[in-house]
Amino acid sequence: MARAGSSSNKKKLTEEDIKLQFITPAIEKAGWDKHSQIRMEAKAQFTDGPVIVRGSLTTRGKNKKADYILSYQPNLPLAVVEAKDNSHSVGQGMQQALDYAEDFKVPFAYSSNGDAFLEHDKTTGKEREISLDMFPSPEELWNRYKNHEQINDVQEKIITEPYHFHIDSYPPRYYQQIAINRTVKAIAQGQNRILIVMATGTGKTFVAFQIIYRLLNSKTKKKILYLADRNILIDQTMDNDFRPFKKIMTKIGNKKLDSAFEVYMSLYQQLAGDENNEPFRQFKPEFFDLIIVDECHRGSAREESLWRKILEYFAGAAQIGMTATPKETKDTSNIDYFGKPIYTYSLKQGIDDGFLAPYKVIRIGLNIDLEGYRPEKGTLDEDGDLVEDREYTTRDFDRNIIIDPRTKKVAEKITEFLKKTNRFDKTIVFCIDIEHAVRMRQALINENNDLVKENDKYIMQITGDNEIGKNQLYYFQKETEPYPVIAVTSKLMTTGCDCKTVKLIVLDNNINSMTEFKQIIGRGTRLRPDYGKEFFTIMDFRNSSRLFADPDFDGEPVQVYEPGEDDSPVPPDNPEDYPEPEFKGGNVVKDIESDYPEDKKKKIRLREGVDVYVLSQRVQYYDKNGNLTTESLVDYSRKNILSEYASLDRFLQKWNGSLKKQAIIDELKSQGVLLDALREESQQYEMDDFDLICHLAYDKKPLTKAERINNVKKRNYLSKYEGLAREVLSAMLEKYANEGIKELDNTEILELAPFRSMGVTKIVKSFGGKEGLLDALKELQDQIYAA
């Protein structure tokens, strides 16, 4: 193998040349198969880059892409390798390699400049330099990892069981790999209580499927029980991710339980019943050897929970709890039962990686919400009863007192927003209770009667008591179905509603439970760019979005529950808990809507006479630190430009030294600087990108494109050219006037009108060849931007 100094030209090679001529051959010589064990270039990209939202426009931030990802076998990564050109030292890429190794949770990281490798072994914390021909083989790294993790031969067979693969399936994302591999390894090594925390929309059921598939195929587990608390969760899972299990899978219904299957899907309500007469007792306690509890935050860890009864009966089975929102309160704890999460993939991480949709928040403060409402003396409600003289707040509205003008104003603001954006964007409106949802539906219908007249399913009440509405939930979730558009609900759609195209979530309910808040936000986090969804909007009327600032919103779950002998049951009317329906005669239990318990006290209703108006409104964006910011588009852009180019001189040096100006614009765009949005906000349509940047970030007086063209003509620059060359440059100035500088970045402009009709060969010849043409293009740009 060549080493530094063996070729005088080595330091002139690009990084890609170093990889091609030195690093890749060294890795392949060590026994790594280029087809199944080495991922590089486009295949080594493992994030999509965050979606950055400003105004109504979006762009993508930078993605993450390792130079090499080395796997012992597909989906079992072991090492990352970061390459540098030969002008760098051997270890120059190590810090980047370690960052990627942390992302992938792999034990080995390497850096190379084509002379040698620097190896970092995370199992020992040591680094060493090795020659190119001493790069370790797959077997050597695997054995080092096995020894450190104390994996025996039986465990190895389970851990190396291949993933399910089908030509129509998609490969797991890097974080799904980690969750799957960690869980399979833990079970192989005897761990029987496992908690996986993954944000809504990141593929928990896909992870569950791959875990089950690998454990079944390795014959580690033979009978699987998958528990959820809503039919929709079971049905979605069976129809989508679990479809390959079709022949070995059954949904437990109202018949005698059949023991002939391998994968059993069930609502926990169907298996639980009267004490000592529960249907799950038809199975022997050792029948199931793996139980997966979906949405395990919904009460499974409470000692008096129906789920807990099932789990304790099958205590010998490995049990996996999966949730986006582990529940940790003084009364309930997922961690106490399942243990600390084996892996956590948060909403913030999903947004930063570009796999989840970011959000912007519109906080709307109505006068009576911010100031309170106190009725005038002698005010009567709709029944003619005297309204109690006291101050009513948002906690009272729609729970103790109904103010119809408030409901109407909320419906007006929702409709106003949709009219400005798209009236067919899928929308969920969360209300206080079912009664509130009924009134909100009516108010929205009156605001959108034109579209309701065309299709009465434009707005639907989808609540637990409304069978017609619940039957429309499937169509609301279906991307290809245009109706319903607006779903008005209370609690039914807080979880299990997998609507990937929801673009507006309206909060007109009082949320004090962090679990419920996270579940509601999760309804909008799925990305579907193919359906025009790259972000979603939260319209908040009750200041519920204050919970974004709570450290618990996207932090690691921390156990606060302390079990003891004197534990008393959680009161059944705790509004943070979802009531558990009783099991009745083995029949399928209908999904329920868990609302705040109805107050026996009569609700006051005022149909008119209260003046309701918007007192404040502000828009907040999700920033790169995961916080909501009210920063203006201008301030945000200025800050990002200055972080890239601290001074005007540095920006001018970069701009003037680059033939491809668009590359600079694209780099700023990846930092969230959306020049088209800025141009629209400032109404400066005649200002080109250069002037917009200089004016915005460095307070330079801008010139219009027309003024720049006139300056070029005044300097008589074109007079140095004759004939066709001069005609071409004049046409290029017109091109700049209409479309900006990006059209002058390279010779591809000659393929466009009017140059194509002039003849590309003739044009090149008129400048004395291609080099002369490139020089002329560069000089024309310099003239356009001359001081």
Side-chain angles (χ1 to χ4, degrees), residues 40 143 219 320 422 430 439 465 511 609 661 717-718 782:
M40 58 186 298
N143 286 329
K219 303 195 182 330
I320 302 171
N422 184 348
F430 287 97
R439 295 193 305 277
D465 69 325
I511 305 173
K661 314 298 187 190
Y717 160 71
L718 296 179
D782 292 343

Side-chain angles (χ1 to χ4, degrees), residues 229 268 272 293 295-313 319 326-338 515 559 561-564 567-581 592 594:
D229 72 338
Y268 75 85
V293 185
E295 304 290 0
C296 69
H297 66 278
R298 295 289 295 273
S300 65
R302 282 172 47 189
E303 290 191 13
E304 73 278 10
S305 165
L306 298 181
W307 283 11
R308 184 71 169 259
K309 193 189 303 185
I310 299 169
L311 298 180
E312 289 179 346
Y313 180 78
Q319 297 174 4
K327 192 160 193 176
E328 298 302 323
T329 71
K330 61 184 178 63
D331 303 304
T332 304
S333 173
N334 292 134
I335 291 176
D336 177 65
Y337 186 82
F338 290 105
T515 299
Q559 181 177 340
Y561 166 72
E562 294 182 2
D567 283 348
S568 57
V570 176
D573 61 349
N574 186 336
E576 290 190 21
D577 287 309
Y578 294 86
E580 294 165 339
I592 61 161
S594 27

Side-chain angles (χ1 to χ4, degrees), residues 327-553:
K327 192 160 193 176
E328 298 302 323
T329 71
K330 61 184 178 63
D331 303 304
T332 304
S333 173
N334 292 134
I335 291 176
D336 177 65
Y337 186 82
F338 290 105
K340 292 183 178 180
I342 197 167
Y343 183 62
T344 298
Y345 189 74
S346 67
L347 172 64
K348 179 181 183 302
Q349 190 63 55
I351 293 175
D352 289 347
D353 286 344
F355 298 131
L356 294 180
Y359 46 84
K360 68 177 181 180
V361 177
I362 302 175
R363 289 186 173 184
I364 298 176
L366 302 178
N367 61 315
I368 62 171
D369 293 351
L370 298 178
E371 299 174 345
Y373 166 69
R374 185 170 182 177
E376 294 181 5
K377 189 174 181 179
T379 298
L380 303 178
D381 69 6
E382 66 171 346
D383 295 326
D385 295 328
L386 188 67
V387 178
E388 181 184 355
D389 181 14
R390 70 175 180 87
E391 186 172 292
Y392 295 88
T393 67
T394 52
R395 288 198 60 80
D396 295 303
F397 299 147
D398 299 296
R399 185 180 172 110
N400 299 317
I401 182 170
I402 299 163
I403 299 177
D404 283 354
R406 185 190 181 283
T407 307
K408 184 176 187 299
K409 181 57 66 176
V410 171
E412 284 177 4
K413 294 302 293 182
I414 295 169
T415 306
E416 176 187 300
F417 177 83
L418 290 173
K419 284 181 176 178
K420 287 180 179 178
T421 52
N422 184 348
R423 295 182 75 185
F424 283 89
D425 282 346
K426 292 289 178 83
T427 299
I428 305 177
V429 183
F430 287 97
C431 300
I432 290 288
D433 55 22
I434 292 174
E435 188 181 332
H436 183 203
V438 172
R439 295 193 305 277
M440 184 60 70
R441 170 190 168 273
Q442 293 170 353
L444 284 166
I445 282 177
N446 290 331
E447 294 297 325
N448 295 274
N449 62 296
D450 55 333
L451 294 183
V452 174
K453 184 171 64 175
E454 294 177 11
N455 190 312
D456 61 13
K457 290 184 173 59
Y458 177 76
I459 299 168
M460 293 295 297
Q461 175 193 334
I462 302 180
T463 52
D465 69 325
N466 191 306
E467 288 302 318
I468 294 175
K470 285 200 296 182
N471 290 337
Q472 288 297 314
L473 184 54
Y474 167 82
Y475 300 100
F476 181 76
Q477 294 178 116
K478 194 79 173 170
E479 297 95 327
T480 55
E481 294 290 337
Y483 297 99
V485 175
I486 301 175
V488 186
T489 189
S490 173
K491 296 288 189 296
L492 181 64
M493 296 174 70
T494 57
T495 186
C497 173
D498 186 17
C499 183
K500 298 179 177 65
T501 54
V502 165
K503 295 184 74 174
L504 177 62
I505 291 176
V506 180
L507 305 179
D508 196 26
N509 52 346
N510 298 318
I511 305 173
N512 294 308
S513 162
M514 182 59 75
T515 299
E516 182 183 0
F517 180 67
K518 288 197 227 181
Q519 287 290 331
I520 287 174
I521 299 307
R523 298 313 101 210
T525 55
R526 289 163 176 82
L527 267 173
R528 284 308 300 262
D530 50 335
Y531 283 89
K533 182 189 173 183
E534 293 186 295
F535 69 97
F536 68 104
T537 301
I538 300 161
M539 183 177 285
D540 181 13
F541 288 93
R542 306 246 181 178
N543 198 28
S544 295
S545 53
R546 72 191 186 282
L547 293 172
F548 281 120
D550 192 309
D552 289 340
F553 173 67

Side-chain angles (χ1 to χ4, degrees), residues 96-163:
Q96 185 68 70
L98 285 171
D99 285 348
Y100 290 153
E102 176 59 27
D103 287 331
F104 272 90
K105 310 300 182 192
V106 294
F108 306 104
Y110 294 87
S111 172
S112 179
N113 65 350
D115 288 341
F117 289 99
L118 181 65
E119 176 190 81
H120 184 105
D121 185 339
K122 297 184 76 172
T123 67
T124 65
K126 294 181 179 180
E127 290 189 354
R128 61 173 181 153
E129 187 172 311
I130 55 177
S131 63
L132 291 180
D133 55 4
M134 290 296 290
F135 193 82
S137 68
E139 290 72 22
E140 180 184 341
L141 286 191
W142 178 249
N143 286 329
R144 284 159 63 182
Y145 170 71
K146 268 203 317 176
N147 291 336
H148 179 263
E149 295 294 317
Q150 298 180 328
I151 297 171
N152 61 37
D153 292 344
V154 174
Q155 295 165 359
E156 180 181 15
K157 182 180 182 302
I158 301 168
I159 292 168
T160 57
E161 181 66 36
Y163 280 54

Side-chain angles (χ1 to χ4, degrees), residues 524-747:
T525 55
R526 289 163 176 82
L527 267 173
R528 284 308 300 262
D530 50 335
Y531 283 89
K533 182 189 173 183
E534 293 186 295
F535 69 97
F536 68 104
T537 301
I538 300 161
M539 183 177 285
D540 181 13
F541 288 93
R542 306 246 181 178
N543 198 28
S544 295
S545 53
R546 72 191 186 282
L547 293 172
F548 281 120
D550 192 309
D552 289 340
F553 173 67
D554 208 35
E556 289 289 326
V558 177
Q559 181 177 340
V560 287
Y561 166 72
E562 294 182 2
E565 293 181 3
D566 297 328
D567 283 348
S568 57
V570 176
D573 61 349
N574 186 336
E576 290 190 21
D577 287 309
Y578 294 86
E580 294 165 339
E582 295 180 0
F583 178 83
K584 297 183 179 178
N587 293 321
V588 175
V589 178
K590 294 180 180 179
D591 296 334
I592 61 161
E593 173 122 9
S594 27
D595 291 303
Y596 292 118
E598 295 291 338
D599 279 330
K600 303 237 172 147
K601 189 169 82 168
K602 174 196 149 204
K603 291 183 181 180
I604 302 163
R605 184 165 187 175
L606 301 176
R607 292 187 178 271
E608 55 187 24
V610 182
D611 187 19
V612 180
Y613 53 89
V614 174
L615 200 61
S616 70
Q617 180 170 326
R618 59 177 170 154
V619 179
Q620 296 178 298
Y621 294 93
Y622 179 94
D623 71 11
K624 60 185 178 183
N625 298 315
N627 300 319
L628 282 174
T629 176
T630 54
E631 203 169 31
S632 71
L633 180 61
V634 170
D635 290 341
Y636 175 86
S637 303
R638 180 186 296 115
K639 183 172 70 177
N640 282 307
I641 293 169
L642 291 174
S643 69
E644 194 74 17
Y645 307 104
S647 68
L648 177 61
D649 286 343
R650 287 188 62 180
F651 174 70
L652 292 177
Q653 184 180 7
K654 180 73 173 179
W655 184 270
N656 293 328
S658 174
L659 175 62
K660 293 185 178 295
K661 314 298 187 190
Q662 189 61 35
I664 299 173
I665 303 303
D666 291 342
E667 177 64 27
L668 288 173
K669 189 177 180 181
S670 73
Q671 300 296 324
V673 179
L674 304 177
L675 295 178
D676 288 340
L678 284 165
R679 191 173 283 110
E680 183 175 337
E681 183 174 286
S682 62
Q683 303 291 302
Q684 296 289 348
Y685 298 108
E686 295 304 312
M687 197 185 297
D688 83 349
D689 293 340
F690 172 84
D691 281 287
L692 193 59
I693 292 168
C694 290
H695 177 61
L696 176 71
Y698 309 107
D699 203 27
K700 292 288 291 181
K701 182 182 177 181
L703 297 177
T704 65
K705 286 181 283 188
E707 287 172 329
R708 290 196 173 277
I709 291 171
N710 285 334
N711 287 343
V712 172
K713 292 178 178 178
K714 285 178 185 177
R715 287 191 289 270
N716 209 23
Y717 160 71
L718 296 179
S719 64
K720 64 186 290 186
Y721 294 94
E722 296 180 350
L724 181 59
R726 185 170 181 173
E727 184 182 347
V728 167
L729 291 175
S730 294
M732 285 184 175
L733 280 177
E734 291 302 316
K735 202 76 172 172
Y736 163 74
N738 295 326
E739 301 178 40
I741 196 65
K742 65 182 178 180
E743 295 296 339
L744 308 187
D745 266 358
N746 54 54
T747 56

